[in-house]
Amino acid sequence: MNGGHPALPPGLTGAPVYLDYNATTPVDPRVAEAMWPHLTDFFGSPSSSHHYSAEPRRAPAEARAQVAALVGARADEAVFTASGSEADLLALCGTALAHGCGALFHCDAAQAVGKIPLDVEELGVDLLTVVGHKMCAPKGAAALYVRDGLRLEPVVHGGGQEHGVRAGTENVALAVALGAAGLAADDLADGAPARIAALRDELHQSLAAALPGCVRLNGPERKRLPNTLNVSIDDALGHELLAAAHGIATSAGSACHRGNHTPFDLARSLGALRLSLGRWSTADDIETTADAAIKSATER
């Protein structure tokens, strides 16, 4: 992977402009290519010991090391799960049900992994959640970092898969996909965050210039994700602005809480727009988005 523009996923061709990467990302074609043989050729169970199980047993081990390396962990500290929600559940309930862990630090890093450098040792975390569909892998691929020596009680009981922490025959294809997406570390090294942050700031400046005194930045100016612009526009409802802003696809809030428009601060929260960029965002996308949002705000 590199900091330029890798091959465009087929689903992104044409309109509208996609600026909802924090909700979910397109699957990188290279990730799809890596997982495809495990949907077709390598069908054996990793738990078996014959010829058809050799590659299904080898591939998840490699993927586990790739995922762990992305957050500065060891391979045996990564547990594959089917979603970020399941990883969070395992972190919270698994430690509680184990009754002797003491105070622990769990970080849901779904929005951060692959966007900024992370190291579990520097963070000082005991558990950390990684979510594939936030970094160009398919939905249903996730992992939990579990610090060495920390005991968890399974929340999915059965066989002894995943170090005895999560039962169920391994989904090799999705594990491979998450590992391939873990190579996003290459993007970090090649300057992708800076490129995306520059586009984000260009979008912010365009909105602020066209709507003087009306655009409010939500959150800190410096310590934030490079791909995310969350702003409120005075006297405007975010979801209504988006409905009228033809040509762009983005969110007024977290996709995890779809349909919930109950605010903490009426004036600020209901005007919020979450514009999230990603690997395939371009300067043309930013121009189109700014024009559509400005037109929607001024014509209401």
Side-chain angles (χ1 to χ4, degrees):
M1 295 192 178
N2 55 65
H5 290 287
L8 191 69
L12 277 183
T13 56
V17 171
Y18 189 73
L19 285 187
D20 204 17
Y21 281 82
N22 283 2
T24 198
T25 54
V27 175
D28 191 303
R30 294 163 295 184
V31 172
E33 181 180 5
M35 70 181 292
W36 182 248
H38 300 277
L39 296 173
T40 54
D41 298 340
F42 305 123
F43 64 88
S45 170
S47 299
S48 298
S49 57
H50 48 65
H51 166 81
Y52 292 100
S53 299
E55 180 60 17
R57 187 165 52 252
R58 183 205 65 80
E62 179 182 20
R64 195 184 307 277
Q66 291 170 333
V67 172
L70 186 59
V71 296
R74 299 200 324 252
D76 61 358
E77 294 177 310
V79 175
F80 288 121
T81 66
S83 68
S85 295
E86 185 196 334
D88 289 348
L89 177 68
L90 179 58
L92 298 176
C93 294
T95 52
L97 293 172
H99 300 309
C101 293
L104 298 173
F105 181 7
H106 168 242
C107 175
D108 185 337
Q111 295 291 5
V113 177
K115 298 185 179 81
I116 58 175
L118 289 178
D119 186 283
V120 292
E121 293 299 325
E122 291 182 6
L123 291 173
V125 297
D126 299 293
L127 305 116
L128 182 140
T129 295
V130 177
V131 178
H133 78 98
K134 306 294 188 181
M135 58 177 193
C136 303
K139 301 169 187 67
L144 179 68
Y145 157 75
V146 182
R147 178 177 47 79
D148 182 40
L150 182 60
R151 189 173 71 86
L152 298 183
E153 180 71 17
V155 293
V156 178
H157 292 272
Q161 294 89 350
E162 294 302 307
H163 316 308
V165 174
R166 182 184 189 270
T169 300
E170 299 89 341
N171 191 324
V172 177
L174 287 179
V176 168
L178 188 60
L183 296 177
D186 292 344
D187 282 353
L188 299 178
D190 288 341
R195 180 188 75 82
I196 293 173
L199 292 176
R200 175 204 65 193
D201 293 343
E202 180 182 340
L203 176 56
H204 187 190
Q205 292 160 9
S206 296
L207 294 175
L211 304 168
C214 296
V215 179
R216 316 292 178 185
L217 178 64
N218 297 317
E221 183 176 355
R222 296 184 181 276
K223 292 187 177 181
R224 53 179 166 143
L225 291 173
N227 79 311
T228 305
L229 176 64
N230 193 309
V231 295
S232 294
I233 297 178
D234 289 350
D235 302 320
L237 296 176
H239 61 284
E240 291 184 356
L241 279 178
L242 293 180
H246 303 294
I248 61 173
T250 190
S251 295
S254 171
C256 299
H257 303 286
R258 180 182 58 188
N260 182 0
H261 301 303
T262 303
F264 291 103
D265 180 305
L266 182 61
R268 195 76 169 255
S269 298
L270 288 184
L273 302 175
R274 187 184 69 172
L275 303 155
S276 50
L277 292 69
R279 186 169 293 166
W280 294 276
S281 297
T282 66
D284 287 343
D285 292 340
I286 297 307
E287 182 178 356
T288 299
T289 300
D291 291 344
I294 293 165
K295 185 172 187 289
S296 175
T298 55
E299 291 183 353
R300 56 192 166 82

